Amino acid sequence: ALCSMEDEGVTHAGRVELLRAVHEQRRQLEAKDSLAEELRRRADKLEAELQRGLTAEEAKGLREKLVKMKEEANTRTEDLDESTAQVKTLEGQVRVLADQLREEKERSNELVIRENVVQRKLEAELAQKGAERSWQVVVEEERKQFLLLRRQLEQQIQEAQDRGRSVAEDGARMEAERR
C-alpha cells in the first residue's frame, strides 16, 4: 500500500500527515463512542426510575427542580457572558494603554536624542566662540527646561504603566471571579 502511495506522488510527510489524521479521527470516534455509552447508561437509569413510577407529587417536585435548574443555568450563562464582555473590554483597555506607553517611550527617546544633538551643537558653538558666560546661562536654562520636561514625561510614563497594571489586575481579578 505504501509503494502504491509513493507511485501516486504521496510523500513520506504526506503519509505521516494522513496517518496522524486517521489516528485523530479514531480518537474522536472513541471519544464519541464513550460519550454515547455514558448517555445510554443515563437513559437506562432514567428509564428505570420512570418504570418504578412516580407519584404526582414526585413528578411535580421534579418539574419544579428542573425549572429552577434551567433558571440557574440561564443566570450563570448570562453572568458568564457579562464577565467575558468585561474581560474583553479590559483587554482592549490594556492594549490601548500599552500602545500609549510605547508611544510615550518613543517620544521620550526622541527627546533624549534631540537633547544630545542640541547639547553637542551648543558645546561646539561654545568651543568655537570661547566660553562666554551668556552662553553658559542659556545652556543651563535649556538644560533645566529639558530636565523638567524629561521628569514630566517620565511621570506620564509611570502613570501610564500604573494604569496598565491596574487594568491588568482588574482583568485578572475579573477572570478569577468569572471562574
Side-chain angles (χ1 to χ4, degrees), residues 7 33 39 131 140:
D7 293 339
D33 285 344
L39 291 173
E140 188 59 32

Side-chain angles (χ1 to χ4, degrees), residues 16-141:
V16 169
E17 183 61 27
L18 286 172
L19 289 173
R20 188 199 61 73
V22 167
H23 177 72
E24 179 62 23
Q25 289 294 323
R26 284 183 184 156
R27 188 193 61 74
Q28 288 176 2
L29 283 173
E30 289 171 2
K32 288 178 181 177
D33 285 344
S34 175
L35 179 61
E37 183 59 35
E38 177 62 26
L39 291 173
R40 278 194 284 284
R41 280 194 298 269
R42 286 181 185 175
D44 291 345
K45 183 179 175 184
L46 288 174
E47 188 176 329
E49 286 181 18
L50 286 174
Q51 286 179 357
R52 80 172 166 87
L54 295 175
T55 65
E57 189 174 308
E58 288 174 325
K60 180 182 177 185
L62 286 176
R63 279 196 283 303
E64 289 172 357
K65 190 175 183 179
L66 179 62
V67 167
K68 286 179 184 177
M69 290 174 72
K70 284 181 180 180
E71 289 172 354
E72 183 178 340
N74 288 338
T75 300
R76 289 187 184 209
T77 300
E78 290 169 2
D79 291 345
L80 179 61
D81 291 344
E82 183 178 317
S83 295
T84 301
Q86 289 174 345
V87 166
K88 287 181 181 182
T89 300
L90 289 173
E91 288 172 343
Q93 290 174 353
V94 166
R95 279 191 296 276
V96 167
L97 288 173
D99 289 344
Q100 289 175 347
L101 177 62
R102 181 186 44 76
E103 290 170 2
E104 290 296 326
K105 284 182 179 180
E106 288 173 2
R107 278 190 226 127
S108 177
N109 289 338
E110 289 173 7
L111 286 174
V112 168
I113 291 169
R114 286 173 50 194
E115 176 200 15
N116 289 337
V117 168
V118 168
Q119 188 173 0
R120 285 188 197 118
K121 284 181 181 179
L122 287 174
E123 288 171 358
E125 287 178 17
L126 287 175
Q128 243 177 7
K129 295 180 182 178
E132 297 177 15
R133 177 71 183 139
S134 62
W135 284 107
Q136 290 175 350
V137 171
V138 171
V139 169
E140 188 59 32
E141 283 300 314

